[in-house]
Amino acid sequence: MKDQIINTAAELFLNLGFKSVTMDDIANELGISKKTIYSHFSTKTKLVEASTLHILSQISCGIETIISQEKNAIVELFDIKNFAMKHLKDNKSSPQFQLKKYYPKVFNLVQKNHLQIMEGCVLKNLEKGIKNGLYRENIPLEFTSKIYFVGMMGIKDEYHFPLEKFSNELLENFLDYHLRAIVTEKGLKTLITLLNKSHLNN
């Protein structure tokens, strides 16, 4: 039952936002009493924390699966981008913004865990790209991995990038921006091919 509560809460939080969803909403969705939820989670904050860590774990597993497929570094980043957009519902409810505003302690915990996951993934991606001649050899690896993470978090800030003004292409635009700073001529050809393919599918 505890896992069912976490799964359902995570789905509702992503679709509707952390602030908008109440414990009553979660209970109604599951067809159980609110008392049952409170027997597992004494506060909504604790349920929010469990749900966000569950979401983060799912994303981490998905990213590891993509990396294990041994695709070239640029294709790998696009696959991760597509997976994240699908899993996070294209951020239509701006969950990160609400999490930061209403549950700052949980947000900071998630940020710390997310940073550890992303830094490792980006460093491996950079090393792979350099090895395959897609990225420049003189990239400052640690700096680039950190600036990528900061940028990824920054574009999800609704204050700077309001949803009504910026489309679902925001993540792809950031990826394009990131890659053009580090690719070789060979890598640029791959990037342009993937961008053209992406635009045809949209």
Side-chain angles (χ1 to χ4, degrees):
M1 177 53 71
K2 187 175 183 178
D3 289 341
Q4 283 184 298
I5 293 170
I6 291 172
N7 286 326
T8 300
E11 188 75 12
L12 289 172
F13 288 145
L14 285 177
N15 279 315
L16 303 172
F18 289 99
K19 176 67 173 175
S20 308
V21 176
T22 66
M23 297 295 252
D24 283 315
D25 293 330
I26 298 165
N28 290 335
E29 185 71 20
L30 283 163
I32 60 176
S33 69
K34 192 162 61 172
K35 185 178 179 182
T36 302
I37 297 178
Y38 280 117
S39 70
H40 294 283
F41 302 96
S42 57
T43 64
K44 182 182 174 184
T45 299
K46 289 185 177 180
L47 178 54
V48 167
E49 180 179 331
S51 299
T52 51
L53 291 176
H54 169 71
I55 293 165
L56 192 62
S57 176
Q58 285 190 316
I59 291 173
S60 177
C61 288
I63 290 173
E64 286 176 7
T65 299
I66 291 168
I67 292 172
S68 70
Q69 294 170 1
E70 294 293 334
K71 296 181 180 179
N72 86 52
I74 299 176
V75 172
E76 181 177 278
L77 282 185
F78 271 80
D79 284 353
I80 290 172
K81 182 264 296 183
N82 291 333
F83 170 79
M85 286 183 68
K86 181 179 178 181
H87 211 80
L88 294 174
K89 316 297 182 186
D90 297 343
N91 272 358
K92 62 186 177 184
S93 62
S94 190
Q96 179 179 290
F97 182 76
Q98 289 196 16
L99 189 65
K100 183 177 181 180
K101 184 175 182 180
Y102 299 108
Y103 301 95
K105 289 183 179 179
V106 177
F107 176 80
N108 290 333
L109 174 64
V110 170
Q111 283 278 88
K112 184 179 179 181
N113 284 305
H114 194 191
L115 174 61
Q116 290 175 344
I117 294 167
M118 288 300 296
E119 269 199 295
C121 291
V122 175
L123 277 171
K124 288 178 183 176
N125 182 270
L126 291 171
E127 290 166 353
K128 181 193 289 186
I130 292 170
K131 184 179 179 181
N132 295 334
L134 298 171
Y135 300 159
R136 292 183 288 105
E137 292 184 357
N138 61 343
I139 298 169
L141 296 179
E142 187 176 358
F143 168 81
T144 304
S145 66
K146 287 184 181 295
I147 206 71
Y148 180 82
F149 176 79
V150 170
M152 284 286 285
M153 295 300 100
I155 64 171
K156 294 174 185 175
D157 188 329
E158 196 177 348
Y159 178 80
H160 296 291
F161 297 97
L163 294 175
E164 65 272 11
K165 187 174 181 180
F166 292 91
S167 68
N168 287 335
E169 294 182 351
L170 187 61
L171 188 54
E172 184 165 299
N173 288 340
F174 173 74
L175 196 54
D176 183 17
Y177 175 83
H178 163 73
L179 286 168
R180 285 181 188 272
I182 63 173
V183 292
T184 60
E185 188 174 339
K186 177 183 175 182
L188 183 59
K189 290 178 181 177
T190 302
L191 173 60
I192 291 171
T193 298
L194 287 169
L195 288 171
N196 290 336
K197 183 179 178 182
S198 178
H199 293 154
L200 285 173
N201 291 335
N202 290 335

